[in-house]
Amino acid sequence: MAIIELRGIKRYYTIGDIVVKALRGIDLDVEEKEFLAIMGPSGSGKSTLMNILGCLDKPTEGSYVLDGLETSKASANEFADIRNKKIGFVFQGFNLLSRTSAIENVELPLFYDRSGKKINARERAITALNEVGLEARLDHKPNQLSGGQQQRVAIARAMVNDPAFLLADEPTGNLDTEMTLEIMALFQELNSRGKTVVMVTHEPDIAAYCKRIITMRDGSIISDTRGSDNRQASDDLEHWREKNRHLAQGERT
């Protein structure tokens, strides 16, 4: 079943007398339980495509059906509801409220949900934090958490509404190697449990952990590859830690 169906998506911007063709007719299906990476150099259109997928922008032409709902004709209020209910956002910068605990940060999207989910907001937030391994950090504020733990809070916040898919924009861009591998292992684990993940990245090493890689250039998709033997971040994380244990032991001796 396709959660995302794009047909003929074009996005043009007018700057003075110049028309910038950011997207030139994108056709794309993303099936349930896929783990998809969108890659491309600066100016390729991947950020514009991410904004369309995230219902942060509307196409100039074309159709975007998300989880059976045609989004291109949605009003501003309907667009906001779609973002809240259907899409879980994970950003490079975490975007957590600094004076607010992990559990309160995760509860936040539920207060904007008009479907009644906020009635069980605390319970749902605890469940989401448990799923990302932060059951012992519920009351910690962002400055009491590592970068990787902050991103885990952000992922829990993205999942708390049980969205159709997670949309991650360079989610490891602010993290060191160990934390990057931790977060990619978490995304792979969530995907193995059935969560659909779409990730925008410019790093081939990060895309290698995804099951499908789309490459863009000049507003078009130039390649779409699938692989069943993609790397496992949990294995790479263990190898990295083992290597650093040996290095640390060598320095002590």
Side-chain angles (χ1 to χ4, degrees):
M1 173 183 172
I3 286 181
I4 292 168
E5 299 175 74
L6 302 181
R7 295 292 180 270
I9 294 292
K10 298 179 181 179
R11 186 64 175 100
Y12 298 162
Y13 300 96
T14 301
I15 304 175
D17 295 330
I18 300 172
V19 176
V20 178
K21 297 182 178 181
L23 297 177
R24 299 171 179 258
I26 300 293
D27 294 323
L28 175 66
D29 287 346
V30 179
E31 301 293 325
E32 188 176 2
K33 301 181 183 180
E34 280 204 276
F35 190 177
L36 169 70
I38 301 174
M39 296 191 67
S42 178
S44 63
K46 66 180 187 299
S47 294
T48 302
L49 179 58
M50 185 202 73
N51 288 337
I52 298 290
L53 290 173
C55 292
L56 300 168
D57 192 13
K58 289 188 177 183
T60 305
E61 296 180 23
S63 169
Y64 173 20
V65 177
L66 171 57
D67 201 22
L69 179 66
E70 173 59 67
T71 69
S72 59
K73 298 180 177 63
S75 68
N77 286 337
E78 289 170 336
F79 234 34
D81 280 344
I82 291 168
R83 287 194 298 271
N84 183 263
K85 295 176 183 178
K86 299 287 187 181
I87 307 166
F89 293 92
V90 182
F91 299 103
Q92 178 175 335
F94 315 146
N95 294 346
L96 302 177
L97 299 179
S98 61
R99 298 183 180 180
T100 303
S101 69
I103 194 168
E104 290 167 334
N105 267 286
V106 174
E107 284 179 310
L108 190 60
L110 296 171
F111 295 127
Y112 296 95
D113 189 298
R114 292 178 284 187
S115 67
K117 290 179 181 177
K118 61 186 176 184
I119 295 173
N120 300 315
R122 181 56 53 103
E123 179 183 336
R124 293 173 65 87
I126 291 172
T127 298
L129 285 163
N130 287 344
E131 287 181 351
V132 300
L134 287 181
E135 58 274 6
R137 299 287 189 273
L138 302 182
D139 296 318
H140 286 59
K141 294 181 180 178
N143 65 1
Q144 298 172 308
L145 301 170
S146 69
Q149 289 171 335
Q150 289 183 60
Q151 192 61 294
R152 285 175 180 266
V153 174
I155 293 170
R157 181 183 59 193
M159 295 195 307
V160 74
N161 264 337
D162 191 24
F165 74 103
L166 296 180
L167 180 58
D169 181 19
E170 304 282 2
T172 62
N174 286 341
L175 304 178
D176 63 20
T177 299
E178 183 176 20
M179 291 180 182
T180 290
L181 293 172
E182 286 182 1
I183 293 303
M184 292 311 300
L186 175 58
F187 275 121
Q188 287 185 321
E189 181 182 350
L190 294 173
N191 178 246
S192 72
R193 294 185 207 160
K195 184 60 66 179
T196 305
V197 182
V198 178
M199 180 176 297
V200 177
T201 181
H202 68 279
E203 299 181 65
D205 286 350
I206 297 301
Y209 294 114
C210 303
K211 295 177 179 177
R212 180 182 175 194
I213 302 173
I214 285 173
T215 304
M216 298 188 66
R217 184 174 297 158
D218 298 328
S220 299
I221 294 174
I222 61 170
S223 71
D224 184 347
T225 59
R226 300 173 186 265
S228 59
D229 57 348
N230 57 301
R231 287 163 49 193
Q232 293 300 306
S234 57
D235 293 340
D236 288 352
L237 177 60
E238 181 56 36
H239 293 156
W240 186 91
R241 286 174 172 167
E242 184 65 24
K243 176 183 175 181
N244 279 270
R245 279 195 291 268
H246 287 313
L247 289 173
Q249 289 171 358
E251 288 176 358
R252 286 196 296 269
T253 58

